[in-house]
Amino acid sequence: MVTAKIQPATHRDWKCEFEIDPDNVFLNHASFGPVTRRGRMAAESLIKRWGHLTPGLDVDDETFAMLASAKARFARLIGAKDDRIGFAPNTSYGLNAVLWGLGLTKGERILLPQIEFPALVYAVKNIAKKLDLKIEPLPCPKGFLEIETLEKALSQTSAVLAISYVQYFNGYRYDLKTITDLCHAKGCFVLVDAIQGVGSVPLEAEQIGIDALACGAQKWLFGQTGAGFFYISSRPIRAVEPLESGWLSVDWGYRFEDLKEWNKPGFEDGRRWETGTYPFFSIRFAETGLAVLEECGKQQVWAIIQSLLDQLISDLEGTQYRVAFERGPDHRSGILALTGPRIRELYEHLKAHKIHTSFREGTIRVSPHFHNTVEEIARLVERIRQFEGNE
Ligand SMILES: Cc1ncc(COP(=O)(O)O)c(C=O)c1O
């Protein structure tokens, strides 16, 4: 169970790390993360240095050191070692890299919950079609995959379970430890789309034993687009080999003066999956976002998010609006879906008043982060009450 209490000593005002117009209440991190002040400054400085060609600028030294730092931060965030991490432009790339690296053969089964974000769905459908695999859709009548359903599915030999850590619209967080233990007992590989959990809810990937995960940095990690990562365990239940290779998958010792060598040794770590020149700007953004998150600390981030959502639930009492999907404390996340009368109109009303949420599958998705404040949650509820009053 993930439990955490806000530590008053470290509960500082994180707003100063952002430059969000104070008129706005941004509660939409499940869609995208705002640029941090540090991210903006880092990008500006990078543009300036590369534009002016500042004397002494050594692009290779600077950028590769920055890549290593970003990778270490990704690793710490998910409780893994940096050598198990590869950069990926988005979640989908990482999911595909792992799926294609598994050497699946005709007739093997992939388990896929029937309620899933399309990133997994389309990646699985594509590989299944091309390799003649069997997709086993797992029913989710309650909006999530129940353990009994998984157990039943695992009674037949299954190669992979493909599942999200946190459901994108109802915020259901899976107990990945229980799921992984069950799957491993039957030799089934666990591949996780982690983008809606990592950065808001703590995850210890290595400890839990999940085989692989993929995560973009554009949402809860304040990384903007183009910089994500994937993780592959050092002891996966089934080997994963890169399907692609490129000149940066092999070790040049970061010295690029003699490139005629055709027999360079390949990297042994996550760089084996990395093929060509990196999106330095995007990764720099991600690195700054991750730095801010790390300063707060993942337990503290989670504690703040939970307390904000607790406040929201309690302040909504007496209104016609309520949590759309009830779940126990072990399955909570940074996403809370709201339902009630004229819900779409309420969403538009909030938007018109600069309260940023998103509308997903007929509900309003609220997704605060650690920089949000009790006052902002109060403003959201005030607008909801105002909307009700105008009925
Ligand atoms: C669960 C989940 N997976 C993946 C994505 C995005 O995938 P990608 O990073 O490949 O664009 C989203 C949202 O955009 C999501 O909610």
Side-chain angles (χ1 to χ4, degrees), residues 119-163:
L120 265 178
V121 174
Y122 284 89
V124 166
K125 275 185 70 177
N126 177 54
I127 192 169
K129 188 164 175 220
K130 300 228 163 84
L131 300 183
D132 207 1
L133 311 172
K134 189 166 174 350
I135 301 175
E136 190 63 43
L138 307 180
C140 300
K142 294 187 182 162
F144 59 88
L145 172 66
E146 290 167 273
I147 292 298
E148 300 70 37
T149 310
L150 175 63
E151 281 175 321
K152 206 165 138 205
L154 287 167
S155 63
Q156 272 187 59
T157 307
S158 311
V160 183
L161 168 71
I163 193 166

Side-chain angles (χ1 to χ4, degrees), residues 62-103:
E62 278 191 18
T63 47
F64 285 104
M66 184 276 290
L67 292 180
S69 164
K71 199 171 267 191
R73 290 190 195 281
F74 280 136
R76 285 195 290 273
L77 189 64
I78 62 157
K81 297 206 179 70
D82 354 0
D83 64 349
R84 305 315 307 159
I85 305 288
F87 288 118
N90 51 41
T91 321
S92 302
Y93 178 90
L95 297 174
N96 274 287
V98 174
L99 279 171
W100 283 95
L102 282 166

Side-chain angles (χ1 to χ4, degrees), residues 44 55 72 105 136 141 148 172 175 221 235 250 270 311 325 347:
E44 280 173 7
T105 53
E136 190 63 43
E148 300 70 37
Y172 186 89
D175 171 0
L221 312 186
R235 290 185 305 279
V250 302
Q311 185 199 334
F325 307 94
Y347 165 71

Side-chain angles (χ1 to χ4, degrees), residues 245-264:
S245 190
W247 73 289
L248 287 179
S249 317
V250 302
D251 191 357
W252 301 93
Y254 298 126
R255 287 287 160 256
F256 305 113
E257 287 163 14
D258 177 5
L259 296 169
K260 291 209 206 85
E261 175 70 72
W262 279 31
N263 293 308
K264 281 279 176 202

Side-chain angles (χ1 to χ4, degrees), residues 101-112:
L102 282 166
L104 296 163
T105 53
K106 185 174 173 175
E108 286 200 277
R109 281 184 1 134
I110 302 187
L111 308 180
L112 184 67

Side-chain angles (χ1 to χ4, degrees), residues 30-31 89-95 116-120 164-169 193-196 214-219 335 360 365:
S31 292
N90 51 41
T91 321
S92 302
Y93 178 90
L95 297 174
E116 258 309 334
F117 188 81
L120 265 178
S164 284
Y165 180 25
V166 168
Q167 283 274 17
Y168 71 101
F169 70 99
D193 172 344
I195 194 172
Q196 291 295 9
C215 179
Q218 70 268 28
K219 299 179 189 287
I335 293 176
R360 291 286 182 279
R365 182 175 68 175

